[in-house]
Amino acid sequence: MNVAKTAARVVDSEKVETYTKAVMDIYSQHPSPEFSDTQGKQEYLAQYDGIKDEGYWQLFKTMEKVKESNDVLSLYISYMDPKTMTGIYVLDADTSEKACPTGTWESIFPENYEVMTHPEDGFPSYISNTEKFGWLCSAGAAVLNQDGQVVAHVFVDISMNRVMRDRYDYLIRLCLILLVATLALILLFIWMVNRALVCPVNRLASAAASYVSDKECAGKGQSSIEQLNIHTGDEVESLCGAIKQMECDINGYIENLTAVTAEKERIGAELDVAKHIQASMLPCIFPAFPDRTELDIYATMTPAKEVGGDFYDFFLVDDDRLAMVMADVSGKGVPAALFMVIAKTLLKNVAQTGLSPKAVLEKVNNQLCMNNEAEMFVTVWLGILEISTGRLTCANAGHEYPVLKRAGGDYALIKDKHGFVLAGMEGTRYKEYEIQMEPGDRMFLYTDGVAEATNAYNELYGTNRMLDALNRNKDTGCETLLCRMKEEIDTFVGEAPQFDDITMLGLELMPQNGPAMKKLKLTPTLESIEQVTAFVEQELEKAGIPLKVIVQMNIAVDEIFSNIARYSGADDATVGVTAKDGCITLRFADNGSPYDPTEKPDPNTSLSAEERNIGGLGIFMVKKSMDTVEYEYQDGFNILTLTKLSDSK
């Protein structure tokens, strides 16, 4: 680029402008010509011979001197035509056969199109590789007239092959010099190190390498290390003595380690199995109730040791009641894990009998107090949610305060009254309270491992930080909320070891698009059919269902509920009803023996009553009068769902 700028300054810009204009006057008559034979090309180039006067050749000599003094491959003047994006040769300082005659042209490289918008800046150096000119590095500088206008460009070409060849020769010479010098230094260094260090160290290394084989042949006498006799008077001699002492220490350590390792591996394997057993006991498949859109529930438990004493649990007591447990056993490790298994099993078994939270805690407390020689105890928060109404009945046995968030509000502690811990004293009485949850409300349960998480400075995470973190993430789902809570706790704790088990549970009562299903829970008997019928009839009348349809629904209720009372053996049943936009849904759930009435074959109504088999006519009439009849068996309950459009026949 410097050569191009120098040439652009030394040439006579007036002459360049004159000859450029003369060339373009001829070229513009037939831009970018193509020739079919040599004669046509010669005739075209002959047009430019008339402009080559004495001034032209003076300009040529000036360019030739610049070319020779700078030893470049090519130096030429070209006019860059922005209309055709071509460069037209005005003068080439080359005297060889490769020179480009005046009036010949070449297309401008696409990468230089942008330069054409500011031709006064010239063409910064660029590399090209074409079949015609080969591998070149080129640059162009603008020739400006007295008015500062660009009249042409001076271009310089340098052969990249020559550049690479020069670089290669330089690197070869430099590498040879460095190689010789390096080899000499290496040989000198090797000789010195070998004399003072390598030989003694090799003897030490050989003896150390023989340590294992010497151990395998323990009866052969002195080991290779014991036979070492190095007297160099320096650090190598000290190293030899240290290795001999190390051999004695290692032999004693190996004997102890072998016994300890075997025992540790056995215990580790057993703890790993126990860890997986404990984890599998807790609900760990999410979503937990994929068919229950009313609930979003998620829970996690991170033990401080291989196994822990914290546990959570949630399960359906029946079709409309969800039990939730959050508990923390005193102590840690295996004893706490064993006590946790007992407490969790008892709590679930007793809760599934249908008792209230207060009664569940009292009964389990008495059971745990029996034969509790280890004097362990467990704190428990137990809540039973009636899904259809949102009524949450709770009892607290010495556990952390639960956290409640109302829809659109913030998380806040519910400072309930604590009872005594379970397994602490037989005959303890507990109190229960109720929380009315609405769609969009959330409940957060946790163990003391959350609030008492401790960092390296012995600072507790604390309840206030927990509430702040909950409210920062109050608009996230339960799973995301618990994951972010764990991340915030980990960030606070840092590199400090986990002090206690960390267990969390999140529950959200989800808003429903349609009306909530009204439910009636009762013991299925023939005497309660009238109560069920009145319940369904009342709800349908509120929804404005025609009397004709209500009569049909009552017939279906009478048939289905009487079958449950007579044949199912159930002691618990729930009847639900919804009506929206003329669509009526009846749902019957009972904990009796599994039975699918939809599989009952339809009776042959073409036969007389005496000829038909007994049974099946009632469910047949129900199927005929309903639009859909669906059955499923889930969580120990028969669930039969009837659907009817009020405007259907």
Side-chain angles (χ1 to χ4, degrees), residues 322-324 357 381-387 389-395 402 404 414 432-437 442-443 445 507:
L322 173 72
M324 296 177 291
W381 183 94
L382 172 62
I384 298 180
L385 173 67
E386 192 172 59
I387 302 172
T389 63
R391 186 180 64 180
L392 178 62
T393 306
C394 320
L404 178 66
I414 300 176
E432 62 186 21
Y433 59 95
E434 291 186 359
I435 301 173
Q436 182 60 45
M437 295 188 68
R442 296 182 180 181
M443 178 71 71
L445 306 174
L507 168 75

Side-chain angles (χ1 to χ4, degrees), residues 23 113 139 153 238 254 266 298 342 359 430 501 530 570 617 644:
V23 169
Y113 283 173
H153 285 82
S238 299
I254 287 175
R266 183 187 66 80
Y298 192 80
I342 298 171
Y430 297 92
D501 304 335
E530 184 176 349
L617 184 60
K644 181 174 179 60

Side-chain angles (χ1 to χ4, degrees), residues 512-517 539-540 542-545 577-586 643-647:
Q512 300 297 305
N513 294 328
M517 176 172 282
E539 295 300 325
L540 295 182
K542 290 180 182 179
I545 303 301
V577 59
T578 58
K580 181 184 178 184
D581 299 332
C583 180
I584 304 168
T585 301
L586 283 178
T643 304
K644 181 174 179 60
L645 299 175
S646 62
D647 56 354

Side-chain angles (χ1 to χ4, degrees), residues 22 24 33 50 104 125 163 202 219 266 327 438 496 597 605 614:
M24 292 307 298
T104 55
S125 57
V163 173
N202 281 340
R266 183 187 66 80
E438 302 296 337
T605 56
I614 298 175

Side-chain angles (χ1 to χ4, degrees), residues 78-305:
S78 179
Y79 177 77
M80 314 311 292
D81 187 4
K83 295 181 180 179
T84 60
M85 285 299 174
T86 56
I88 299 90
Y89 290 94
V90 177
L91 185 149
D92 191 346
D94 193 358
T95 57
S96 67
E97 294 179 357
K98 295 183 178 180
C100 296
T102 302
T104 55
W105 60 278
E106 295 291 336
S107 297
I108 298 175
F109 289 108
E111 55 265 36
N112 287 329
Y113 283 173
E114 187 176 352
V115 179
M116 294 299 293
T117 59
H118 298 284
E120 65 276 4
D121 295 336
F123 290 76
S125 57
Y126 62 94
I127 296 176
S128 62
N129 194 348
T130 63
E131 183 177 355
K132 182 176 181 180
F133 298 106
W135 191 18
L136 301 176
C137 179
S138 306
V143 179
L144 307 177
N145 61 13
Q146 293 180 351
D147 298 330
Q149 297 178 340
V150 178
V151 298
H153 285 82
V154 175
F155 283 88
V156 177
D157 295 337
I158 300 174
S159 172
M160 288 299 295
N161 289 323
R162 177 178 173 182
V163 173
M164 293 302 173
R165 186 167 57 253
D166 291 345
R167 184 178 70 172
Y168 178 79
D169 293 340
Y170 170 78
L171 291 175
I172 289 296
R173 290 193 297 271
L174 180 62
C175 289
L176 288 175
I177 294 172
L178 292 175
L179 181 61
V180 172
T182 302
L183 287 174
L185 290 173
I186 290 174
L187 291 174
L188 177 61
F189 179 79
I190 290 175
W191 178 78
M192 294 176 63
V193 171
N194 189 63
R195 179 180 179 183
L197 184 63
V198 173
C199 290
V201 169
N202 281 340
R203 291 174 59 191
L204 288 172
S206 178
S210 302
Y211 175 77
V212 175
S213 59
D214 291 346
K215 288 291 292 181
E216 293 174 350
C217 304
K220 75 171 190 176
Q222 282 189 324
S223 67
S224 298
I225 294 177
E226 291 174 328
Q227 296 174 16
L228 286 173
N229 187 21
I230 296 175
H231 300 284
T232 59
D234 55 15
E235 291 83 356
V236 177
E237 182 176 350
S238 299
L239 178 62
C240 178
I243 289 177
K244 288 183 176 181
Q245 181 60 42
M246 183 181 67
E247 181 186 32
C248 297
D249 296 340
I250 289 177
N251 289 338
Y253 180 74
I254 287 175
E255 294 177 1
N256 295 330
L257 184 62
T258 301
V260 172
T261 301
E263 181 65 16
K264 186 176 180 180
E265 288 178 352
R266 183 187 66 80
I267 295 174
E270 293 178 356
L271 284 176
D272 188 63
V273 173
K275 177 180 179 181
H276 287 86
I277 292 174
Q278 185 184 37
S280 64
M281 290 186 65
L282 305 180
C284 54
I285 299 176
F286 298 97
F289 310 107
D291 59 328
R292 303 303 296 264
T293 58
E294 314 100 313
L295 302 172
D296 179 20
I297 191 167
Y298 192 80
T300 61
M301 196 273 279
T302 307
K305 295 186 177 181

Side-chain angles (χ1 to χ4, degrees), residues 11 16 31 56 138 152 492 506 527:
V11 297
V16 173
Y56 179 90
S138 306
F492 173 81
E527 290 75 14

Side-chain angles (χ1 to χ4, degrees), residues 61 64 90-91 130 158 177 182 255 311 329 338-339 343 369 383 406 454 495 541 635:
K61 290 180 180 179
E64 187 178 32
V90 177
L91 185 149
T130 63
I158 300 174
I177 294 172
T182 302
E255 294 177 1
F311 68 91
V329 177
L338 293 174
F339 200 78
C369 286
R406 295 296 184 183
T454 307
E495 298 298 324
E541 287 177 351
D635 298 326

